[in-house]
């Protein structure tokens, strides 16, 4: 029997399907879903829009309000920016923004404040945001599967995008995620690995639901 809010942390590299699984799991369990990457992306979109250099972020941090609306869409200062934050321009800059300690501090505090059962995906959820999460997953998939997934997703917005551009962006973000000084991506020692290279979305969901039952006796 688990008392109090349940925290489920899903970490891993870019384009390993974390958000898709986290969203489906939250829906199944009736928990809140938080895409922490969207929060870093929203801050990045603010900087792009206002032509603010990375070394000036701290001066404007108090002017940036990132949250989620009733439909759990990401909002920047009250405006839904779901589409804007997925642009390549944002993907290219977000790693630099996510390196800044003051940005991480602001967003981590906000993430820790969601005082209810939540499924949260990101890079540092099991290690920094919720080190005591009742369930921690670390998702991986083969590099080529990840490139293809991201390519398909991006092609819907930008038909001129090439596989090479997508591959280069993923490699760059993997490197930056693992090597930044503050809260780098690393697997929590008590995380369970899920390699979903050859699993459908439904298979992944069922796998986690089984794990929840085994580990925490939670059933839906
Ligand atoms: O999950 P995503 O690709 O949308 O995340 C965008 C970027 O934000 C990613 O390159 C790394 C960063 N990020 C982070 O540093 N910490 C998190 N908890 C989530 C994302």
């Amino acid at each position: 029997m688990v008392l109090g809010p349940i925290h489920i942390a899903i970490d891993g590299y870019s384009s390993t399907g974390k958000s898709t699984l986290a969203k489906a799991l939250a829906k199944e369990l009736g928990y809140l879903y938080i895409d922490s990457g969207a929060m870093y992306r929203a801050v990045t979109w603010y900087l792009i829009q206002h032509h603010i250099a990375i070394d000036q972020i701290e001066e404007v941090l108090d002017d940036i309000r990132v949250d989620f609306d009733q439909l759990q869409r990401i909002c920047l200062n009250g405006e839904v920016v779901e589409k804007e934050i997925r642009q390549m321009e944002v993907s290219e800059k977000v790693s630099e923004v996510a390196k800044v300690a003051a940005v991480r501090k602001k967003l981590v505090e906000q993430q820790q404040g969601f005082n209810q059962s939540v499924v949260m995906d990101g890079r540092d959820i099991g290690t920094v945001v919720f080190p005591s999460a009742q369930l921690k997953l670390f998702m991986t998939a083969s590099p080529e599967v990840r490139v293809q997934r991201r390519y398909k997703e991006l092609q819907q917005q930008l038909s001129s995008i090439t596989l090479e551009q997508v591959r280069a962006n993923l490699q760059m973000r993997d490197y930056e995620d693992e090597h930044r000084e503050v809260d780098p991506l690393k697997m929590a020692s008590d995380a369970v690995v899920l390699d979903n290279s050859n699993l459908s979305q439904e298979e992944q969901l069922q796998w986690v639901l089984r794990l929840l039952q085994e580990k925490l006796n939670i059933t839906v």
Side-chain angles (χ1 to χ4, degrees):
M1 176 84 173
V2 186
L3 295 174
I6 309 280
H7 295 148
I8 300 181
I10 304 188
D11 290 304
Y13 295 98
S14 306
S15 300
T16 47
K18 299 184 300 293
S19 300
T20 307
L21 176 62
K23 215 180 280 177
L25 187 60
K27 191 168 171 214
E28 196 71 24
L29 296 166
Y31 293 1
L32 183 67
Y33 161 60
I34 298 293
D35 174 354
S36 70
M39 298 172 76
Y40 289 91
R41 286 173 178 271
V43 172
T44 306
W45 178 234
Y46 180 95
L47 301 180
I48 293 173
Q49 268 190 312
H50 293 84
H51 309 288
I52 292 161
I54 303 271
D55 58 5
Q56 292 173 328
I57 297 183
E58 292 197 42
E59 291 161 39
V60 297
L61 258 189
D62 287 344
D63 302 333
I64 306 178
R65 186 167 45 86
V66 171
D67 50 22
F68 294 88
D69 70 5
Q70 298 270 353
L71 300 174
Q72 303 203 300
R73 295 175 303 182
I74 184 85
C75 298
L76 173 61
N77 292 338
E79 199 183 308
V80 176
V81 288
E82 277 291 334
K83 253 204 177 133
E84 291 81 349
I85 63 159
R86 304 288 161 202
Q87 298 176 92
M88 199 63 182
E89 200 184 356
V90 174
S91 298
E92 275 167 0
K93 201 166 174 171
V94 64
S95 300
E96 282 300 307
V97 175
K99 270 188 198 168
V100 180
V103 172
R104 302 204 71 84
K105 183 170 180 287
K106 175 183 166 103
L107 297 186
V108 166
E109 277 173 11
Q110 195 180 341
Q111 290 152 9
Q112 289 172 331
F114 291 107
N115 197 16
Q116 54 189 305
S117 291
V118 61
V119 183
M120 193 177 294
D121 76 291
R123 305 294 189 289
D124 59 345
I125 311 305
T127 50
V128 176
V129 179
F130 294 132
S132 311
Q134 289 90 341
L135 183 69
K136 299 180 186 178
L137 298 182
F138 192 88
M139 290 183 61
T140 63
S142 77
E144 213 37 48
V145 167
R146 293 170 54 211
V147 170
Q148 291 291 347
R149 280 183 190 154
R150 187 87 183 116
Y151 178 62
K152 265 196 204 144
E153 210 175 280
L154 278 171
Q155 248 201 340
Q156 290 166 6
Q157 306 161 13
L158 190 66
S159 52
S160 60
I161 192 110
T162 66
L163 259 178
E164 260 328 302
Q165 280 173 304
V166 174
R167 187 174 290 115
N169 179 257
L170 278 189
Q171 282 169 352
M172 182 274 283
R173 287 201 292 142
D174 283 358
Y175 183 86
E176 296 291 343
D177 282 345
E178 282 186 309
H179 292 87
R180 71 168 165 252
E181 253 173 66
V182 193
D183 309 340
L185 169 67
K186 60 174 189 272
M187 191 171 95
S189 57
D190 50 350
V192 181
V193 177
L194 170 57
D195 182 331
N196 66 7
S197 306
N198 299 306
L199 292 177
S200 70
Q201 291 175 9
E202 185 55 29
E203 285 169 331
Q204 294 171 56
L205 178 62
Q206 293 308 325
W207 181 88
V208 185
L209 291 174
R210 271 198 305 277
L211 196 64
L212 269 172
Q213 183 167 19
E214 280 164 27
K215 276 183 79 115
L216 302 174
N217 207 15
I218 292 175
T219 43
V220 285

